[in-house]
Amino acid sequence: MSTPTANAAMSDAQKSAHIRQTVLQAGVALRERHPWLRHQDAIGGSVMALSVLGMIASGVLYGIGQIPWWVCVPVSALFASFIHELEHDLIHTMYFRQSPRAWNLMMALCWLTRPSTVSPWARKRLHLHHHKFSGTDTDLEEYGITNGEPWGLKRLLMVGDHMLAIYLRPVGMHRVSRNYIRAQQPKSKEEFRALVRENLLSYMPLGLLHYALWHGFLAANALLFAASLAGHPLPLAAWSQAIGVDLPALLSLWTTTVVVWLAPNVLRVFCLHFISSNMHYYGDVEPGNVMQQTQVLNPWWLWPMQLFCFNFGGTHAIHHFAVKEPFYVRQATAQTAYGVMREMGVRFNDFGTFTRANRWAMKTGAKVAPAGAVTTA
């Protein structure tokens, strides 16, 4: 074990390398004890199959009246959280590296089951860029989920809704999108235009369908509730006869679609983005310094949210140091990782990030703090 004096003499790059080596060694030891973990393709495919079937079963049980919506939504969100982890690992080509068809099928299932997200193929470029430039003004992935925004009603509305995160910050989204595209260093105008198109169309078609149905559902039900509250309920049956469309049946189908497909992802996205945007630092991070990119955010009171993002706050910082370990290995070796991360000075539960708009420096306007500083704010 390193001494505090030795740690102080190490650069952040050396600390990151030491953490990475220790985490990877823990993964090797885990696979030696459990050789079945070496079959990553089979594990990834099995988790995908079980998660998709779990979401389908939950939806069917709701559809036939065997479970209420308040059971279906969190159960489906839980299965969707596994699929999110699979997409993240697929982006880093941890499964089916030698089988493009299987890899693309897995990516397609990730999007079909989680329609509120950008295309996973577009997200691959965004996410790999995030690792290279995490927390900087070109990190569109983190800015897109509200990282760096002061906390208030505006951020609360945006954190679980990708479209509101765009609509409520058009100038900022344009600026960071432009920075991100320029950071790709397009070699020609055509390549630049292709990157612009990729960004503009990244929610087509599933994301736009999701938000059209979700926002429309909220608006329709708000209208029905307001009319009923005012003592003038809308005559849906009469309108149905007039236009030849069974509006109550249509609304029932719409509700079922929301419960089994849309609402689980709204819940999952809110929990994931709340955790992710607060365990990543943003705005004053030294480019390429992994020690400043993330913290471990795992207090007991965040466990209801951690449940719907597979303990993201507890394990994602490990991923920034050892990128190629799949999500289940990161979880299994987390205690070993925590030991070396604490030793090297990675922050744990820096709650001051909520008041600093996720800045690394401990005080607004202060110089960047040295890696390893911990706050109890």
Side-chain angles (χ1 to χ4, degrees):
M1 180 178 291
S2 304
T3 64
T5 302
N7 294 348
M10 296 172 70
S11 68
D12 282 354
Q14 290 171 325
K15 292 176 181 179
S16 297
H18 179 61
I19 293 171
R20 180 178 184 274
Q21 182 183 23
T22 303
V23 169
L24 291 178
Q25 286 175 346
V28 170
L30 182 70
R31 290 176 177 87
E32 287 177 351
R33 295 194 302 272
H34 305 286
W36 60 273
L37 289 172
R38 296 172 183 152
H39 301 286
Q40 282 188 199
D41 289 356
I43 293 171
S46 298
V47 173
M48 175 64 81
L50 290 173
S51 298
V52 171
L53 289 173
M55 291 187 74
I56 291 173
S58 176
V60 169
L61 288 173
Y62 169 78
I64 62 176
Q66 294 301 303
I67 59 174
W69 68 267
W70 47 266
V71 171
C72 179
V73 170
V75 167
S76 294
L78 186 61
F79 284 117
S81 73
F82 284 96
I83 297 174
H84 169 81
E85 294 300 319
L86 287 173
E87 182 195 83
H88 176 260
D89 287 357
L90 284 162
I91 283 171
H92 289 285
T93 59
M94 295 186 204
Y95 314 114
F96 301 106
R97 185 174 301 181
Q98 306 301 323
S99 305
R101 289 184 178 178
W103 183 85
N104 280 293
L105 174 61
M106 291 271 283
M107 292 282 271
L109 288 171
C110 287
W111 202 14
L112 285 168
T113 52
R114 299 158 45 257
S116 63
T117 65
V118 299
S119 155
W121 294 275
R123 187 185 171 225
K124 181 176 181 179
R125 189 193 304 273
L126 281 166
H127 187 70
L128 297 182
H129 178 87
H130 159 70
H131 274 277
K132 291 180 181 178
F133 302 100
S134 181
T136 69
D137 62 354
T138 71
D139 187 357
L140 180 57
E141 182 174 72
E142 281 302 312
Y143 184 78
I145 65 170
T146 74
N147 200 335
E149 289 284 337
W151 266 104
L153 179 60
K154 179 181 175 182
R155 182 166 178 176
L156 188 65
L157 291 172
M158 295 190 298
V159 76
D161 193 304
H162 290 280
M163 291 299 107
L164 289 181
I166 295 172
Y167 298 154
L168 297 179
R169 303 178 300 171
V171 175
M173 285 299 297
H174 176 74
R175 183 191 75 250
V176 179
S177 296
R178 181 190 60 214
N179 292 343
Y180 162 73
I181 291 171
R182 287 176 176 172
Q184 307 308 304
Q185 300 181 339
K187 297 179 178 61
S188 65
K189 288 184 178 180
E190 185 51 44
E191 188 175 340
F192 178 84
R193 294 190 190 100
L195 287 167
V196 171
R197 284 194 301 271
E198 180 178 271
N199 259 25
L200 290 175
L201 301 177
S202 59
Y203 283 100
M204 289 286 289
L206 289 181
L208 295 185
L209 175 63
H210 167 92
Y211 283 106
L213 290 172
W214 173 244
H215 290 162
F217 178 80
L218 295 179
N221 279 276
L223 179 62
L224 290 171
F225 178 75
S228 179
L229 196 64
H232 302 285
L234 300 180
L236 296 184
W239 289 356
S240 296
Q241 291 182 346
I243 64 176
V245 176
D246 190 342
L247 292 178
L250 184 61
L251 188 59
S252 176
L253 177 61
W254 199 354
T255 300
T256 298
T257 302
V258 166
V259 170
V260 304
W261 194 36
L262 308 183
N265 278 292
V266 172
L267 172 61
R268 179 194 64 81
V269 164
F270 181 87
C271 294
L272 174 66
H273 288 188
F274 185 93
I275 297 290
S276 180
S277 66
N278 288 296
M279 56 85 53
H280 285 89
Y281 292 103
Y282 189 94
D284 61 353
V285 174
E286 182 182 315
N289 189 341
V290 183
M291 294 293 293
Q292 295 181 6
Q293 291 176 359
T294 59
Q295 64 160 316
V296 175
L297 187 63
N298 62 352
W300 66 266
W301 47 270
L302 280 180
W303 269 107
M305 289 189 178
Q306 302 275 29
L307 180 65
F308 296 110
C309 57
F310 201 80
N311 191 26
F312 194 90
T315 60
H316 187 70
I318 302 169
H319 168 68
H320 272 248
F321 291 99
V323 173
K324 288 295 185 178
E325 289 287 38
F327 71 98
Y328 48 88
V329 171
R330 290 197 301 274
Q331 183 62 51
T333 59
Q335 294 306 314
T336 298
Y338 291 165
V340 69
M341 290 164 78
R342 287 184 186 277
E343 182 186 345
M344 291 295 104
V346 173
R347 293 177 183 174
F348 279 68
N349 296 326
D350 168 20
F351 303 134
T353 186
F354 290 97
T355 60
R356 301 193 309 269
N358 313 126
R359 299 304 187 264
W360 164 260
M362 290 300 186
K363 295 180 180 178
T364 303
K367 293 181 179 179
V368 174
V374 180
T375 180
T376 57

